[in-house]
Amino acid sequence: MPLLEISNLKKAYAAPDGGANVVVDVPEFKLDTQAQVALSGESGSGKTTFLNLIAGILAPDTGSIKLNGLELAGLRESARDRVRATTIGYIFQTFNLLQGYTALENVLLGMSFGPGADREFAKALLKRVGLDAKLNHLPRQLSTGQQQRVAVARALANRPKLVLADEPTGNLDHTNARESLKLIREACRENGAALLLVSHDREVLGQFDAVQELHKLNRAAEQPVS
Amino acid sequence: MTLPLIVAKSLRQHLLSTVVTAASIALAGGLLMAVWVVKTQSNDAFTKQNAGFDAVLGARSAKLQLVLNAIFHLEASPGNLPWTDYEDIAKNAAVALALPIAVGDNYHGYRLVGTTTNLFTVEHAPGRKYRVAEGEEFAAGYMEAVLGSFAARQLKLKVGDKFHPYHGLNFDEKQKHDELYVVIGILEPSNTPADRVIWIPLEGIQNMKGHDAKSAAEISAVLVKLKNPIAGRGLELMYNKQGNRLTFAWPIAQVVAELFGKIAWFDKVLELVVWLVAAVATGSVLASIYNSMNERRRDIAILRALGARAHTIFLAVVLECAAIAVLGMIAAFAVYLGITTVAAHIIRTETGVVLDAFAWHPILAWAPAAMIGLSALAGVIPAVKAYRTNVAENLVPVS
């Protein structure tokens, strides 16, 4: 059974003219346990909305999202929050670290809404991403690459079955991007988590065996300019 | 651990507004508690204060003026009464002790009160008499003075010092008497208005040079201790209803309570004002948190993306408001002690009535509970805004 199984997923927003602006229309998508899949998506392809639907941040208008056998589409918001806290890790392009919290506290927060704070595991994760000497540094005291690594450790903090990564290297330079991607993939593998990564960077996409084009997957996506 | 951490971090991140808002709570809470305690303690202290006596006999006047003059050593004397009136009441079977007093002079604003050595036999509180702590009691007919403890401290007079009294109840350096008095004793603190009096033999006031010759056979009032306080009713009937020359002010507590009854409306206005101040301060918590919601949206969205439930965020905002009030109310106790200490000093200096800033009063529990509760309630409005924060929209960038 796939870890993630999506069918007939639709999400629309109200358009200024009063009509519906369909952003996501995905007939079918599957992701196996511990698989690592990249989705290539340009701006306007609906990739963030698609990931937010899988994460339960947004509720679909119609369709089904089954994660680890659990149907998310019919769940109430608080139940989806619970699923996200226990099953999903999320890496953002802008890292989205909490600026008032140290690296260690950011990772501990990633745990505390789910399985509960485990200081030793949080330290081990930060050590794994090479930040064991920066545990008590605030995000502003870290380089961009180091902030991304904190975000990776935080995404794995709740021992997720699925890690979602939205343009995780978009804010990094070439060298940092390559190292960061390697780290994300290795860390997911070591922790038994599947990885669903969205990017428009050809070099990033080139690292993956399985790449799907979001504008083909999502019928509502704007078609790329050729 | 999560909620306290989120609250503590948020308070720290918005340190300036936290401090300013907590300070407004501290001022309002401190003011609220201080006004309440000073008001109720003053009321209690004045109405329960009788300096060891049950009644006052004096010239025909308002009872309140008589009590304020003879017991609290405030106000002017309503007039004198002949010595024979003292002798009459002293012989009355219902009277345990009658103490004549004469006033009319001061030393740097502190009243000289002439009386007999019977003063030292009066129990001003159960088991406690007016006792000399340093030196000795004055002797009748001598130019000797025994100072109340507060007067001695304020005037910096000690046993052996000498001074010239001044005529009148208010200090006027041109009104100096020729007589020279020696401080022979200092009373131990009694926490009564007697502490701010300079006690001298009755004859000293009566025979002071410059006083009306008539006053040698007159006194200002008689302080009366009854064998049974109920017996005051008969004396009241005799002096107030059947006679028209003297006033018998009894019971003292009721006379003073009438004063507080007359200014009860002022108490109510004061209460209303301090509650309004408290409401405005808790409103400042609302304004402070609500105004910062825009800059908090991203943090809230991140917390939600990490799995925090909407009601957790709601609770965190309410707790933050309550935490600001807790910090404010801790500081409010310092404000309270500051205000009550100053107020107690002023009241003691002006009236001799002692207030205790450290005494327990239920408002010291009610005010913090009310301020914290109101602040938490005020926090519900920004908390609803936080609860409704759109997570996806605030997790930029979106494509």
Side-chain angles (χ1 to χ4, degrees):
Chain A
M1 186 177 71
L3 173 70
L4 177 67
E5 202 170 0
I6 288 171
S7 59
N8 300 318
L9 184 67
K10 278 193 184 178
K11 179 70 181 174
Y13 293 112
D17 62 5
N21 178 20
V22 180
V23 180
V24 171
D25 180 2
V26 177
E28 188 178 25
F29 178 76
K30 286 180 184 171
L31 182 72
D32 288 331
T33 304
Q34 296 188 28
Q36 298 200 344
V37 172
L39 296 177
S40 69
E42 298 295 329
S43 182
S45 61
K47 59 182 190 297
T48 300
T49 304
F50 183 55
L51 292 186
N52 282 344
L53 285 165
I54 296 170
I57 290 171
L58 292 172
D61 297 332
T62 58
S64 162
I65 304 170
K66 276 189 182 164
L67 178 64
N68 204 27
L70 180 69
E71 176 58 62
L72 296 185
L75 293 180
R76 291 170 52 166
E77 187 181 23
S78 59
R80 296 201 309 273
D81 292 338
R82 182 78 191 151
V83 171
R84 186 164 62 253
T86 54
T87 317
I88 295 170
Y90 209 144
I91 304 170
F92 304 91
Q93 180 179 342
T94 48
F95 321 138
N96 281 340
L97 296 181
L98 290 157
Q99 295 302 310
Y101 295 67
T102 64
L104 181 61
E105 286 166 344
N106 264 284
V107 177
L108 284 169
L109 261 187
M111 301 169 167
S112 54
F113 301 117
D118 180 344
R119 187 168 279 266
E120 291 312 309
F121 183 53
K123 283 182 181 174
L125 282 169
L126 284 166
K127 187 177 180 185
R128 171 64 187 85
V129 299
L131 290 176
D132 46 333
K134 310 270 185 186
L135 298 179
N136 296 315
H137 283 55
L138 293 169
R140 67 170 180 274
Q141 296 166 325
L142 299 171
S143 69
T144 311
Q146 288 170 335
Q147 289 182 42
Q148 174 65 307
R149 282 187 267 157
V150 176
V152 171
R154 187 180 65 182
L156 294 163
N158 59 350
R159 303 176 199 268
K161 291 197 162 24
L162 172 63
V163 171
L164 303 172
D166 186 2
E167 298 277 14
T169 58
N171 273 15
L172 301 177
D173 61 40
H174 185 73
T175 311
N176 266 320
R178 194 163 42 193
E179 284 178 6
S180 180
L181 181 64
K182 186 168 172 247
L183 177 66
I184 291 169
R185 298 193 66 184
E186 284 177 3
C188 284
R189 206 171 288 127
E190 290 161 13
N191 288 278
L195 173 65
L196 179 59
L197 178 145
V198 178
S199 178
H200 67 276
D201 186 332
R202 290 182 187 284
E203 193 173 333
V204 170
L205 297 170
Q207 305 289 315
F208 285 81
D209 298 328
V211 178
Q212 294 193 36
E213 292 180 29
L214 198 53
H215 69 270
K216 289 181 182 170
L217 192 70
N218 180 11
R219 292 194 296 214
E222 292 170 16
Q223 294 309 302
V225 179
S226 55
Chain B
M1 166 264 181
T2 312
L3 262 179
L5 177 69
I6 293 171
V7 171
K9 287 287 176 182
S10 186
L11 289 174
R12 198 170 165 184
Q13 269 182 281
H14 306 96
L15 190 61
L16 183 62
S17 68
T18 299
V19 170
V20 170
T21 316
S24 73
I25 291 279
L27 288 173
L31 190 64
L32 173 64
M33 294 189 290
V35 165
W36 220 274
V37 168
V38 169
K39 185 172 74 74
T40 50
Q41 272 199 31
S42 303
N43 205 323
D44 283 355
F46 274 93
T47 53
K48 288 176 185 164
Q49 180 60 263
N50 59 19
F53 299 94
D54 298 308
V56 180
L57 179 69
R60 196 70 169 178
S61 62
K63 290 178 181 176
L64 183 60
Q65 187 187 359
L66 203 52
V67 168
L68 288 177
N69 177 60
I71 299 291
F72 292 95
H73 306 291
L74 302 167
E75 288 271 355
S77 167
N80 290 343
L81 60 158
W83 178 254
T84 50
D85 286 323
Y86 158 68
E87 289 176 326
D88 286 345
I89 196 163
K91 283 187 284 189
N92 192 295
V95 173
L97 172 72
L99 189 73
I101 62 165
V103 299
D105 293 307
N106 79 93
Y107 179 67
H108 288 276
Y110 286 85
R111 284 189 183 196
L112 268 70
V113 177
T115 189
T116 67
T117 51
N118 276 344
L119 169 71
F120 305 107
T121 66
V122 174
E123 264 192 10
H124 59 80
R128 291 191 63 198
K129 291 182 178 174
Y130 291 112
R131 272 194 50 226
V132 172
E134 285 176 57
E136 54 192 272
E137 299 169 4
F138 59 69
Y142 286 82
M143 283 196 279
E144 294 173 343
V146 170
L147 272 63
S149 58
F150 187 75
R153 194 164 62 243
Q154 294 299 109
L155 292 167
K156 296 186 172 59
L157 287 176
K158 53 189 186 303
V159 173
D161 286 350
K162 293 177 179 171
F163 67 92
H164 290 281
Y166 291 79
H167 186 64
L169 295 178
N170 299 312
F171 177 64
D172 177 356
E173 60 184 14
K174 293 181 198 144
Q175 300 287 326
K176 193 166 161 184
H177 282 297
D178 292 335
E179 285 84 347
L180 188 63
Y181 275 78
V182 60
V183 177
I184 197 161
I186 293 169
L187 291 177
E188 63 181 28
S190 65
N191 288 346
T192 70
D195 289 349
R196 49 191 286 281
V197 167
I198 298 170
W199 299 95
I200 64 169
L202 188 65
E203 302 82 0
I205 297 282
Q206 289 176 318
N207 301 323
M208 195 86 71
K209 282 178 198 160
H211 284 188
D212 190 340
K214 231 171 47 174
S215 66
E218 289 181 339
I219 52 174
S220 303
V222 184
L223 307 179
V224 179
K225 193 161 184 68
L226 299 167
K227 287 176 182 161
N228 181 348
I230 305 296
R233 185 153 312 277
L235 289 168
E236 188 192 28
L237 192 69
M238 184 174 89
Y239 285 108
N240 299 346
K241 300 284 190 320
Q242 294 167 358
N244 59 5
R245 194 173 53 83
L246 300 173
T247 293
F248 186 74
W250 170 91
I252 289 173
Q254 191 181 316
V255 172
V256 179
E258 280 170 18
L259 169 68
F260 283 93
K262 282 176 189 163
I263 58 168
W265 64 270
F266 179 73
D267 272 2
K268 293 285 172 202
V269 171
L270 202 59
E271 279 175 26
L272 187 65
V273 168
V274 292
W275 275 114
L276 278 175
V277 169
V280 168
T282 53
S284 74
V285 177
L286 188 161
S288 159
I289 301 289
Y290 195 85
N291 287 339
S292 66
M293 285 316 290
N294 277 346
E295 61 187 85
R296 292 164 185 255
R297 276 183 188 165
R298 189 170 158 81
D299 280 4
I300 290 170
I302 294 169
L303 288 169
R304 293 293 314 280
L306 293 176
R309 276 175 259 188
H311 71 253
T312 304
I313 301 297
F314 178 92
L315 208 55
V317 175
V318 170
L319 281 178
E320 185 175 338
C321 292
I324 290 172
V326 168
L327 294 174
M329 287 313 294
I330 290 169
F333 280 98
V335 174
Y336 159 76
L337 284 175
I339 295 174
T340 43
T341 302
V342 170
H345 178 74
I346 292 170
I347 289 170
R348 178 153 202 204
T349 306
E350 296 298 321
T351 69
V353 168
V354 178
L355 305 187
D356 180 6
F358 291 93
W360 167 252
H361 187 283
I363 195 71
L364 300 177
W366 277 110
M371 294 294 277
I372 293 165
L374 282 173
S375 297
L377 196 63
V380 167
I381 294 171
V384 167
K385 197 173 182 184
Y387 183 92
R388 290 179 177 164
T389 297
N390 187 312
V391 181
E393 276 181 13
N394 289 287
L395 285 172
V396 287
V398 177
S399 61

